[in-house]
Amino acid sequence: MGFQDTPEEWQVTATVTPFTGNKTSVRTDDVVMPDGSVHSRDYQVHPGSVAVLALDAEGRVLVLRQYRHPVRHKLWEIPAGLLDIPGENPLHAAQRELYEEAHVKAEDWRVLADVYTTPGGCDEAVRIFLARDLSEAEGERFAVSEEEADMEQARVPLQELVRGVLAGDLHNNCLVVGVLSLTAVLAGDGVDSLRPAEAPWPARPFEA
């Protein structure tokens, strides 16, 4: 299999949760190090997320521009959202996000990449899907609010996004991983080499 990440869990002698928010919390663990010493580690506890790189028949990627307060930027992103329900099937969550944020549906779904966004300070795991064979969703558009109220939408050629990433103009984690992964797939073994949409995801186990 070559290089691969492996699960491991060091001993925790104490844990507290000094902050609990709407969707996430902050935890402090006292962790036993390899030399036997014990040190505190603070991290954000996150339910996990899904993201969708939606590719149309013209080779364009559906992107959204949204304000992100922590970084004080409007970022171009791909549709994404939280796994709100414990054990939720990530494919179903991704299909919901694509509908709610872009009013689009897709017939062909594959797993593009699984990532930990910031493993030094957060346990968030994200599954990024590739969605193809796009069409307009039926029914009324989902009502948006808060940061999503002025969200812009565009379809941008894949290579234009790659150039933006490499130029330092695009910064969203899921967009960066998604477009570079898809570029590698298209230059390599092709889309059919990707994992199926309901491939196992040990970071966030789910019922198929």
Side-chain angles (χ1 to χ4, degrees), residues 31-39:
V31 185
V32 180
M33 301 291 140
D35 64 0
S37 61
V38 178
H39 295 273

Side-chain angles (χ1 to χ4, degrees), residues 48-61:
S49 306
V50 292
V52 184
L53 194 150
L55 186 71
D56 70 15
E58 286 75 48
R60 300 174 302 173
V61 176

Side-chain angles (χ1 to χ4, degrees), residues 41-157:
R41 293 292 178 262
D42 305 320
Y43 59 99
Q44 182 185 24
V45 179
H46 194 286
S49 306
V50 292
V52 184
L53 194 150
L55 186 71
D56 70 15
E58 286 75 48
R60 300 174 302 173
V61 176
L62 191 157
V63 291
L64 308 167
R65 190 169 183 243
Q66 185 173 348
Y67 177 65
R68 294 299 187 183
H69 186 71
V71 295
R72 308 308 199 267
H73 270 71
K74 271 193 169 182
L75 300 179
W76 285 106
E77 308 179 349
I78 57 177
L82 297 176
L83 289 168
D84 293 312
I85 305 167
E88 182 178 17
N89 187 312
L91 173 60
H92 299 165
Q95 291 169 333
R96 179 187 69 234
E97 293 300 330
L98 185 61
Y99 165 75
E100 290 181 357
E101 294 193 346
H103 201 66
V104 166
K105 63 180 181 178
E107 298 302 320
D108 185 78
W109 291 82
R110 317 288 175 102
V111 175
L112 189 54
D114 295 330
V115 296
Y116 292 116
T117 54
T118 48
C122 180
D123 71 352
E124 181 183 16
V126 180
R127 170 157 281 189
I128 304 173
F129 289 91
L130 171 64
R132 301 186 301 165
D133 297 339
L134 309 183
S135 62
E136 192 80 3
E138 300 170 357
E140 294 184 8
R141 285 186 171 272
F142 183 78
V144 296
S145 61
E146 300 175 9
E147 287 93 344
E148 296 180 352
D150 73 339
M151 194 161 57
E152 303 169 51
Q153 183 179 144
R155 296 195 182 195
V156 182

